[in-house]
Amino acid sequence: MEKKILLAKMTWQEVEEILKDTDIAVVPVGSTEQHGPALPVDNDAFIATQFAQRVAESIWDRQKVVVTPTISFGYSPHHMQFKGTITIRESTLADLIVDVCTSLEQHGFKRIILVNGHGGNSTAISNALHAMSNVVMAKIFSVNWWDLASDTIREVATRPVFHACDMETSVAWFLEQRVLEDKRVDEPGRSIVPGFVEPDMLAPPPKASAAFMMKYVTDSGVVGYSTKATKEKGQQIAEVVLERLEDFILKVARG
Ligand SMILES: [Zn+2]
């Protein structure tokens, strides 16, 4: 990808130059955690990065935005019984986000959009945004990519939608992630409290929540039906995510 979009590939003078055209930075946030036998541990970071870079590319002619390096470690203690997972403390992640946003603001990025790829990061991101609300003058936003297309996900994805499932594998595959096709497995996951605490983002009410280790609900690391994943389904979901992310950035730019 060209230097025009990626902050990491720009010189400081090029950053100074592009700040004359835009004050919007997009920061992908992911995780490094197990994603079952068919997907690599970078999956959440990969998807967030892909969405950020693809949207920056597609709106370039209408609105320039700069994509920063990805925050590739997230809050994943519940995955630690599976090899390869690297978790950082929730407070570390929140501090990291504050430091990145504060640095960007100091250079003149006045609008910052975090594109998050890992559900477990949500509390840290929310805490970081609250911590900055009084002291950082930049406007800072956060989106979880799946929240941008939850209606489409509900239509096309096999439930449960939870982890390394049909939905996540399909989207990753379409975005050209490394997918070990014949290692895909189906494992619907075990209930924590039947009917109340289910490993399924689309579970209907009544709902309660609990913290649990992933090993307790899944042996393979998958919760869902990854053999149902297809690139076509991934495309359906990803196109909606990209279209709405584009719309969001344009509205932030006008605001
Ligand atoms: Zn994931």
Side-chain angles (χ1 to χ4, degrees), residues 20-227:
K20 294 173 188 160
D21 292 328
T22 186
D23 63 0
I24 301 179
V26 178
V27 183
V29 186
S31 73
T32 301
E33 71 182 28
Q34 73 83 19
H35 273 78
L39 289 169
V41 296
D42 80 339
N43 200 58
D44 293 341
F46 173 86
I47 292 181
T49 306
Q50 284 293 314
F51 279 137
Q53 293 184 1
R54 285 175 190 232
V55 80
E57 188 77 58
S58 74
I59 62 169
W60 186 257
D61 293 337
R62 285 162 291 159
Q63 175 62 53
K64 293 177 175 48
V65 300
V66 172
V67 179
T68 73
T70 301
I71 296 178
S72 295
F73 297 123
Y75 185 60
S76 312
H78 47 305
H79 290 281
M80 280 301 285
Q81 287 163 331
F82 294 91
K83 299 292 181 228
T85 303
I86 296 174
T87 187
I88 59 176
R89 278 164 285 172
E90 203 162 41
S91 56
T92 306
L93 179 59
D95 284 348
L96 184 53
I97 291 167
V98 169
D99 288 350
V100 168
C101 292
T102 310
S103 300
L104 289 167
E105 187 212 22
Q106 195 179 321
H107 298 310
F109 289 99
K110 296 297 178 206
R111 285 170 282 198
I112 300 167
I113 299 168
L114 308 175
V115 175
N116 179 37
H118 172 51
N121 291 344
S122 300
T123 304
I125 291 174
S126 166
N127 288 345
L129 263 55
H130 278 110
M132 287 185 282
S133 58
N134 265 339
V135 288
V136 176
M137 294 317 288
K139 290 181 181 165
I140 306 171
F141 305 92
S142 168
V143 287
N144 298 321
W145 65 261
W146 56 92
D147 286 337
L148 292 169
S150 47
D151 47 353
T152 310
I153 291 168
R154 194 172 286 276
E155 265 168 45
V156 305
T158 315
R159 280 183 56 198
V161 169
F162 199 68
H163 190 70
C165 53
D166 174 18
M167 181 271 274
E168 195 176 5
T169 309
S170 294
V171 169
W173 211 351
F174 169 70
L175 296 172
E176 293 176 31
Q177 172 62 296
R178 175 173 184 243
V179 178
L180 285 70
E181 216 173 315
D182 53 4
K183 297 272 189 188
R184 289 178 295 151
V185 293
D186 294 334
E187 194 175 348
R190 292 178 279 271
S191 292
I192 309 295
V193 181
F196 285 89
V197 187
E198 297 287 350
D200 182 4
M201 277 163 53
L202 302 181
K207 279 193 191 191
S209 57
F212 52 87
M213 292 301 281
M214 286 295 284
K215 210 53 173 199
Y216 185 80
V217 295
T218 169
D219 296 321
S220 65
V222 171
V223 179
Y225 292 85
S226 69
T227 69

